[in-house]
Amino acid sequence: MKSRAFFLLTLVLICLSLFIVSADDGPRDVATSTTPTEVRQWEITGPWGGDVRSLVVAPDNSDLLYVGTSDGQIFRSTDSAKTWRRLKPGLERRGLSVDSLVIDPRNSRIMYAGVWAIARDEESGVF
């Protein structure tokens, strides 16, 4: 009996999620009452260096992006993610994962990196 109730509940949740997703297809063209068809093609544009854990865009320049990776690297793109360069010298510590990047809104030349230690001999913190 419990497995049947679980199955029915799962089926209801799946149907409900499909309904919610289909209800959010984007804007409708009211004048012609048609739904625009949009095809999205995703491609990898990020740099090497572990999984991307954080992403930030400069508040005064939308072409300037930074990503922090799970192996402690920080990369910068000045051309809207077409190319990436690793910041050097970077954090100069091994065994860190960059989970948060914040650019100071008053001075875009200042960035804060929140990291956690993967290696036991390193300290987590804000750089």
Side-chain angles (χ1 to χ4, degrees), residues 1-115:
M1 183 68 175
K2 287 184 180 181
S3 64
R4 186 176 179 182
F6 178 75
F7 174 76
L8 288 175
L9 180 61
T10 303
L11 185 62
V12 168
L13 290 175
I14 290 171
C15 291
L16 182 61
S17 65
L18 291 174
F19 174 75
I20 290 171
V21 168
S22 66
D24 188 26
D25 284 340
R28 306 274 194 271
D29 186 356
V30 180
T32 61
S33 56
T34 60
T35 304
T37 303
E38 180 180 349
V39 177
R40 295 182 180 148
Q41 293 181 340
W42 295 88
E43 62 183 64
I44 296 175
T45 63
W48 59 271
D51 297 333
V52 172
R53 303 285 298 178
S54 54
L55 168 72
V56 67
V57 179
D60 57 349
N61 181 359
S62 61
D63 290 335
L64 181 59
L65 294 92
Y66 295 91
V67 296
T69 66
S70 61
D71 70 348
Q73 305 295 323
I74 299 175
F75 293 85
R76 174 178 55 207
S77 173
T78 57
D79 56 6
S80 299
K82 291 181 184 93
T83 59
W84 294 91
R85 297 190 80 138
R86 185 166 58 100
L87 293 184
K88 294 179 182 178
L91 299 176
E92 296 185 343
R93 295 185 183 193
R94 296 181 149 297
L96 298 176
S97 179
V98 181
D99 271 355
S100 301
L101 292 174
V102 177
I103 297 175
D104 188 328
R106 293 170 288 166
N107 183 353
S108 62
R109 296 181 51 83
I110 298 175
M111 181 171 47
Y112 301 95
V115 301

